[in-house]
Amino acid sequence: MVRWEPGAPERLQKAALELFATRGFEQTTATEIAQSVGLTERTFFRHFSDKREVLFYGQQLLVEAFLAGVAGAPPDASPIEIVAAGLESAATFFPDENRTHSRTRQAVIDENPALQERELHKLATIGTTIADALRARGVDELAATLAAQSGMTVFGIAFTRWIREGETRSLAGIAADVLGELVTLTGKATRIGDA
Amino acid sequence: MVRWEPGAPERLQKAALELFATRGFEQTTATEIAQSVGLTERTFFRHFSDKREVLFYGQQLLVEAFLAGVAGAPPDASPIEIVAAGLESAATFFPDENRTHSRTRQAVIDENPALQERELHKLATIGTTIADALRARGVDELAATLAAQSGMTVFGIAFTRWIREGETRSLAGIAADVLGELVTLTGKATRIGDA
């Protein structure tokens, strides 16, 4: 009989991040993570396929936050405006009290090329899911892909700024500014397209 | 004494792609790749750290093509216009006679999540290099990052379209159209920024 472990994934995630940050990702084993919070290796592998995945726990919730924003955008919103609504909703997933946690997680990822690749893959997957949601709203394929990927660019840049030491603005505020800058920038490309 | 092997990397790359496409990436070893073109495993590892890297040979030349375009943009070009010049230059790296090769390579990558992650990392690295080049031209940090990453988004979407079965337009032409669409799209975001 499998025993139910209330909050085990969250406890493992917190413990893993602490060990990764202090000892290094490579030097920490799944067994050590589990033991540090009084759990077994077997429990660890019931929740995560490997130690790398601990850092990506919660990805589905972030996707859902994005999609909720997309679904809530006004019917007449343009593709970029729909993405803006998605970004605003996704930002609620990162309240200011999580900034230190997010900063530590990013520092662990920045130290390890394989983790960087996994993070990029995560963001690309979220982008694909948002593009699908835009298409489901009737946005054509190219516009949906461009708007969704631009949204992920804005999200990535805003997130990097949000976790900088000394930054006090909310992620939602920074993301809105970065998206505004993208709109301004492309508005200056007067020799391109029909804009 | 190390014997000079003229064209060995190119021969290994061509052989690897054929084996990956027919047998599968996982099922092909570095030794088999080398032997299929009459070279030794040692020669293989003199050029590539592992079989994955064979698929990413030439990345530096692509970066240089992007940078040459950036360097050649008019002094008064806006950040997005500079990126457009980089894209046009990078596209010369993919003449139409390479389309079948690129399509086969992409099919191998699409089959393997680790290769997809490596490919995303490659594109992100190119984006960072272009952002650095924009900053060196005096573009501020946010605009440089946004313009460079948007350029990589456009490149990625254009490349995916270029290798579609039946597509006959050049990569340069497709990239210009996709960038134009991005400019048009952001121009419709009238409720965002000051554009």
Side-chain angles (χ1 to χ4, degrees), chain A residues 39-107:
Chain A
L39 295 171
T40 62
E41 191 184 358
R42 206 174 140 218
T43 302
F44 181 95
F45 287 111
R46 203 150 66 223
H47 295 291
F48 304 106
S49 57
D50 59 40
K51 66 178 179 176
R52 191 170 82 148
E53 289 313 303
V54 187
L55 288 166
F56 298 92
Y57 178 70
Q59 174 176 343
Q60 193 49 40
L61 295 173
L62 174 58
V63 170
E64 284 163 19
F66 258 113
L67 293 178
V70 168
D76 67 337
S78 72
I80 293 287
E81 288 163 352
I82 298 170
V83 165
L87 284 168
E88 194 181 342
S89 174
T92 63
F93 194 71
F94 299 93
D96 284 346
E97 61 264 31
N98 286 15
R99 203 188 303 246
T100 306
H101 169 94
S102 291
R103 186 181 292 144
T104 306
R105 176 183 173 280
Q106 196 62 46

Side-chain angles (χ1 to χ4, degrees), chain B residues 52-68:
Chain B
R52 195 170 79 148
E53 289 314 303
V54 187
L55 288 165
F56 297 93
Y57 177 71
Q59 175 174 342
Q60 192 49 41
L61 294 173
L62 175 57
V63 170
E64 283 162 20
F66 258 112
L67 293 178

Side-chain angles (χ1 to χ4, degrees), chain A residues 13-35:
Chain A
Q13 190 186 29
K14 189 164 177 290
L17 192 59
E18 273 167 29
L19 289 168
F20 293 162
T22 51
R23 290 192 201 174
F25 176 78
E26 296 293 352
Q27 289 73 44
T28 304
T29 67
T31 308
E32 286 165 348
I33 296 165
Q35 286 177 349

Side-chain angles (χ1 to χ4, degrees), chain A residues 94-96 99 102 158-164 169 171 174:
Chain A
F94 299 93
D96 284 346
R99 203 188 303 246
S102 291
F159 188 83
T160 301
R161 302 194 148 215
W162 180 65
I163 60 172
R164 277 187 188 163
R169 292 173 298 162
L171 180 57
I174 299 172

Side-chain angles (χ1 to χ4, degrees), chain B residues 6 9 42 74 83 113 117 146 148:
Chain B
R42 205 173 141 220
V83 165
E117 294 184 8
L146 266 173

